[in-house]
Amino acid sequence: MAVSKLWSVKSRLGTVIDYATNPDKTSAKVYTPKQYQALADVLAYAKNEEKTEKEFYVEGINCNVANARDQFITVKEQYGKVDGIQAYHGYLSFKEQDITPDQAQKIGMEFANEVWGKRFQVVVTTHLNTQHLHCHFVINSVSFVDGKKLVDEEKAWFKFRLVADRICEKYGLYYNPNPNRSKQSDYLTNKEKAGMPTRYSVAKESIDEAISHSTNLDSFKRALKEMGYSYNLSPSRKYWTVIPKGYDKPIRLKNLGEDYTNDSIMKRLRENQDRWADIEPFQRAVYKPRQYRLQTRKDKIKKVGGLYGLYLHYCYRLGYLPKYKKQNNARLHYLLKEDLMKLDQITDEVRLLGRNQIDNAEQLFSYKESVIKEIDKLTDDRTQLRKVSRTKLTDEKLCEVKEEISSITDKLKTLRKEVKLCDGIAERSKVIEKNLKQIENEEKDIERKEIRKYEQRR
């Protein structure tokens, strides 16, 4: 059994309850299309627990499913707590392929009763529309017993695993008594497989770079500090951690892989001692005086100017221009490392600026207005076509109208994405300017120090 986290609902209360009790997801696949449609039509009337048919797997705890929303609101009004979080929504997913909907609903009810049933109203449903059966829970945020809100233990979803495991064991279902909690999410894993940088992959590169220039723990710490990392590498600490500059949340090194545990890092540092003569101390970019200076790709990009030139220069600093030159992410400035995780968005924004030859804020907002007008026009056209589709048409004509509606919908998706990109550019461009200015000032300081050292050595 896999249990997801519990999340809060701050929007309209009816929306989440309607989703959880959606007949398309809770009805057993045993009806003909006509029967199913007729059944869907009468759900508004027949969804209370006395009238709901067994196949729908929708039940309420301390409330009537047909009037759950109104009953939730009545409790809130009674205790004067109608603002803020309206409800909590969670789900329980079953790994077994042969578990029946009846059994899933029974387990879901038992689980919800034990965790919330003494003080809260809960809607419990079982969805049958995916490969794995799963129960949804919608819990009122205010207790009908004492008017207190759901807090602490009652919403600590991680601790509910123990309740879920015990119920699974009771019914002879699979559960993992020792799950690997250090495994990173599939989202991050897939990004890494696709070659996209993540917070963890960038930290890995930085640690590898620091180790390659270190022979002991002290030199390893100095290298990390030079790359903008704070750390807790105390020998008495069970799990060593690092914090990238600009972040608050630490990264446990053991979560990066077997080569990054406390013992593994110390072993790698000891191995470097055997070839200490080949190990160069970690240094930031060293200034090398030149008698002349040739024009570089950086200088050519700077000449572009405007918003497009600003973004191109930023991509150059991130190491993704030019394409043939691979950037060492470990040595990137800490202000740039955060945007490595946003390369998809930045790339889309660069392409929009280049494609539409946008150089300044006026052109950007003018383009955005034209896109919004196009969206309004297409929305009106689609509304008219939907009205036409409800009239009496031949099958062939109806098919044509639906295809045209689908085509407009696809165009609207693209245009709405363009509007979001325009908003992103307006916001990000100011941040980019600020970051680049700070980075250049720091680099100038380092360069002045290096020149001073060079002059003293002469």
Side-chain angles (χ1 to χ4, degrees), residues 1 3 9-10 90 96 129 143 165 185 226 261 304 337 374 428 430:
M1 171 182 286
V3 182
V9 178
K10 297 181 180 179
E96 284 70 30
N129 63 313
S143 169
D165 287 350
S185 68
E226 285 289 329
T261 62
V304 176
K337 285 180 181 178
E374 181 68 16
R428 195 191 305 278
K430 296 176 183 177

Side-chain angles (χ1 to χ4, degrees), residues 71-313:
Q71 291 178 0
F72 278 26
I73 292 172
T74 298
V75 171
K76 295 176 189 298
E77 290 177 341
Q78 179 182 349
Y79 292 100
K81 296 183 177 179
V82 296
D83 297 328
I85 295 172
Q86 296 295 304
Y88 287 86
H89 186 192
Y91 69 83
L92 204 62
S93 180
F94 300 92
K95 183 176 181 179
E96 284 70 30
Q97 301 294 306
D98 57 348
I99 186 173
T100 65
D102 285 317
Q103 193 176 17
Q105 180 69 12
K106 184 178 180 182
I107 291 172
M109 286 293 290
E110 188 172 332
F111 176 83
N113 262 309
E114 181 169 345
V115 177
W116 303 291
K118 293 179 182 178
R119 299 182 59 241
F120 293 91
Q121 298 156 302
V122 189
V123 173
V124 183
T125 70
T126 298
H127 284 190
L128 318 175
N129 63 313
T130 62
Q131 187 179 11
H132 298 286
L133 297 183
H134 55 283
C135 294
H136 279 260
F137 308 101
V138 181
I139 309 104
N140 194 356
S141 59
V142 178
S143 169
F144 68 91
V145 175
D146 52 20
K148 292 183 179 179
K149 288 202 169 187
L150 194 74
V151 293
D152 301 332
E153 296 285 323
E154 293 164 335
K155 63 178 182 180
W157 193 253
F158 179 82
K159 295 183 179 179
F160 299 161
R161 175 179 63 86
L162 302 176
V163 178
D165 287 350
R166 179 160 36 81
I167 295 174
C168 282
E169 187 177 18
K170 174 183 173 182
Y171 287 93
L173 300 178
Y174 166 83
Y175 73 96
N176 185 359
N178 299 302
N180 181 10
R181 295 294 172 188
S182 65
K183 182 182 177 183
Q184 69 179 18
S185 68
D186 291 339
Y187 170 74
L188 294 176
T189 302
N190 292 335
K191 279 194 74 174
E192 287 186 6
K193 285 181 179 178
M196 295 291 294
T198 65
R199 183 170 176 246
Y200 293 96
S201 64
V202 172
K204 262 188 188 179
E205 289 182 26
S206 299
I207 290 164
D208 289 338
E209 178 81 1
I211 290 175
S212 67
H213 292 277
S214 307
T215 55
N216 55 52
L217 195 57
D218 288 337
S219 56
F220 177 55
K221 290 177 180 178
R222 284 195 296 272
L224 285 176
K225 188 175 181 180
E226 285 289 329
M227 287 188 280
Y229 284 83
S230 56
Y231 48 79
N232 193 326
L233 305 178
S234 170
S236 61
R237 190 177 178 87
K238 185 176 181 181
Y239 302 120
W240 285 351
T241 61
V242 296
I243 305 177
K245 203 162 184 177
Y247 287 89
D248 296 323
K249 189 176 180 181
I251 298 173
R252 280 187 176 179
L253 298 189
K254 77 175 187 69
N255 292 349
L256 302 179
E258 294 181 0
D259 292 336
Y260 301 90
T261 62
N262 302 15
D263 292 338
S264 297
I265 289 174
M266 290 305 300
K267 181 181 177 182
R268 291 168 68 181
L269 292 173
R270 284 194 295 271
E271 287 173 354
N272 285 348
Q273 293 174 2
D274 297 334
R275 51 186 186 87
W276 63 270
D278 300 327
I279 302 294
E280 295 182 3
F282 182 89
Q283 294 179 341
R284 299 187 72 169
V286 178
Y287 175 75
K288 296 180 180 180
R290 295 177 181 176
Q291 294 180 343
Y292 56 89
R293 178 184 172 89
L294 296 175
Q295 193 177 48
T296 64
R297 182 67 176 265
K298 175 181 176 182
D299 299 319
K300 292 178 181 178
I301 287 173
K302 275 191 170 183
K303 286 182 179 179
V304 176
L307 283 173
Y308 186 49
L310 176 70
Y311 266 80
L312 287 178
H313 180 48

Side-chain angles (χ1 to χ4, degrees), residues 397-413:
K397 183 65 177 175
L398 181 61
C399 185
E400 290 179 4
V401 171
K402 285 186 175 181
E403 284 181 2
E404 195 169 349
I405 290 172
S406 178
S407 175
I408 290 175
T409 300
D410 291 338
K411 289 178 183 176
L412 284 171
K413 285 180 182 177

Side-chain angles (χ1 to χ4, degrees), residues 286-293 447 450-458:
V286 178
Y287 175 75
K288 296 180 180 180
R290 295 177 181 176
Q291 294 180 343
Y292 56 89
R293 178 184 172 89
E447 188 174 320
E450 292 297 333
I451 291 174
R452 201 177 298 121
K453 288 180 181 178
Y454 177 76
E455 293 294 335
Q456 289 174 353
R457 285 196 296 270
R458 289 180 63 188

